[in-house]
């Protein structure tokens, strides 16, 4: 009989369980929400090591598409208390590692 070696997976369990985007809180309409989530996921995938560049990419894309005064925070382990325009808030998690907060405030 051949010995079967177990497969060793070095990825932490929480990353394996959450390999998708999860919208935690939003009041955006469906069109804006889908655009914001797609742009946020693209930015995080494009700049996984440079979250500042990812946030800047997200902010610039939203400013171009939906007008100025968007703000974006991407990171781990942060809290927030913000003032925002109604129908312009998104708080989501991506890939089990990043939290994304996106809002518009004029």
């Amino acid at each position: 009989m051949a010995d079967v070696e177990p497969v060793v997976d070095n990825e932490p369990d929480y990353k394996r369980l959450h390999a998708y985007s999860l919208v935690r809180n939003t009041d955006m309409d469906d069109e804006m929400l889908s655009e914001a989530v797609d742009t946020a996921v693209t930015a995080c995938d494009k700049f996984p090591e440079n979250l500042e560049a990812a946030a800047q990419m997200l902010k610039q894309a939203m400013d171009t598409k939906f007008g100025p005064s968007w703000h974006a925070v991407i990171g781990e382990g942060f809290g927030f208390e913000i003032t925002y325009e109604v129908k312009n808030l998104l708080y989501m998690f991506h890939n089990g590692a990043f939290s994304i907060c996106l809002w518009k405030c004029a």
Side-chain angles (χ1 to χ4, degrees):
M1 292 189 136
D3 291 334
V4 178
E5 292 185 28
V7 176
V8 177
D9 189 5
N10 293 331
E11 191 172 275
D13 288 338
Y14 71 91
K15 285 189 178 183
R16 227 175 320 144
L17 293 174
H18 301 288
Y20 56 89
S21 297
L22 174 68
V23 175
R24 177 76 171 117
N25 189 9
T26 187
D27 64 353
M28 293 180 172
D29 61 24
D30 291 338
E31 177 189 348
M32 186 182 291
L33 178 62
S34 66
E35 181 71 27
V37 169
D38 289 344
T39 306
V41 168
T42 302
C44 288
D45 290 345
K46 186 174 182 180
F47 301 106
E49 299 297 321
N50 188 355
L51 299 180
E52 186 176 342
Q56 186 175 16
M57 177 184 165
L58 177 58
K59 181 215 178 325
Q60 289 174 349
M62 294 300 288
D63 280 346
T64 303
K65 178 95 178 183
F66 298 105
S69 298
W70 285 92
H71 307 278
V73 176
I74 302 175
E76 298 179 37
F78 65 89
F80 61 92
E81 185 173 329
I82 58 173
T83 302
Y84 65 95
E85 291 182 13
V86 177
K87 303 287 186 190
N88 290 295
L89 171 71
L90 171 65
Y91 181 53
M92 65 179 280
F93 301 108
H94 175 63
N95 211 15
F98 304 123
S99 296
I100 301 164
C101 185
L102 174 69
W103 73 98
K104 184 175 184 178
C105 182

